Amino acid sequence: MTTKEYGIQCIRDEAQALLELIPKIDDQFEQAVDLIMGCKGKVIVTGVGKSGHIGAKVAATLASTGTPSFFINPLDVYHGDLGVMTHDDVVIAISNSGQTDELLRFIPMLLHMHIPIIAMSGNPQSLLAKYADCHLNVSVSHEADPLNLAPTSSATAQLVMGDALAVALIKKRNFQPRDFAQFHPGGELGKRLLTTAHDVMRSDDLPILTPQMRLGEAIILVSKGKLGLGIAMTGERIEGIITDGDLRRATEKWQAEFFNRTVSDIMTRSPKKVGPNTKISEIQNIMQKYKIHSVLVVDQHEKLLGVVDSYSCMI
């Protein structure tokens, strides 16, 4: 096999391992979700080695989707970190073998404090599974590496089971995009979900036309406006819009007669409008649905406030 083929085989093996997880989603999974839903404190994820790395990611995913959660290394528990735990918490303990010594020495402390334990391991008969309140089976038939030793498929299975928990909790909590944005205010998604039309709209030097204006004059104003459109208005009433595309098509259609035609001959009389508090994410959906590049921003009286174009949404 070539190195490329080894890579492809690895992906196939791990994908197959994930498909084999599906029958293992059982009542224990539902019990784990219910334990987390009923948790009045924090969800504390723990694990050692590669399982610890996976645990840190699982904790981060849970925390960003509405479940207060953090990762703790079981080795640190023996040096004072046990103080962060209360009987209101729930622990997710991850170990492929379910027999990891450092993790098992942590279990009696949790039992003494009556903290519920959700075990995630590849061995339903392990000591970890035995002492847990519920067990999530992430066993795999073999690892993806040729030696069947490195935690490849097993680590992927742990990661995906953690994602499955998070997704189930998102549905259970009715977690919405606006909730997600509150946990990601600095990210691109957070900005799109929190930023409004008012924040990004252009309101100065708008290319305002009249329906009676000749297209020869209108094309100059549209070009100067640099928005790819012109807004046809009578007083403060919006009559419609024309776009660069409308002007190009009109030129091809009427050729020499183009300059004698008026804005009203080609304008769209019902342009898409949004309020100033409309989120950028919603505006992007409108643009995608109607295959347009700009929307008008109006107040409750349909008075023009500004224009948001696709470039304004690239935040």
Side-chain angles (χ1 to χ4, degrees), residues 201-271:
M201 70 181 184
R202 175 173 154 187
S203 56
D204 298 326
D205 300 320
L206 297 176
I208 304 299
L209 320 173
T210 65
Q212 299 78 29
M213 183 180 291
R214 301 287 183 181
L215 292 182
E217 182 182 355
I219 196 172
I220 295 173
L221 293 178
V222 170
S223 179
K224 287 182 177 179
K226 297 181 179 179
L227 283 172
L229 58 77
I231 308 163
M233 300 186 67
T234 300
E236 293 190 345
R237 186 173 74 250
I238 299 170
E239 302 284 1
I241 64 168
I242 63 172
T243 67
D244 283 339
D246 295 330
L247 290 167
R248 286 194 299 272
R249 287 185 289 272
T251 303
E252 294 171 1
K253 178 179 179 181
W254 288 313
Q255 298 183 12
E257 296 181 18
F258 171 82
F259 293 96
N260 294 322
R261 296 286 181 166
T262 65
V263 169
S264 63
D265 290 330
I266 65 169
M267 69 183 184
T268 298
R269 299 178 183 274
S270 55

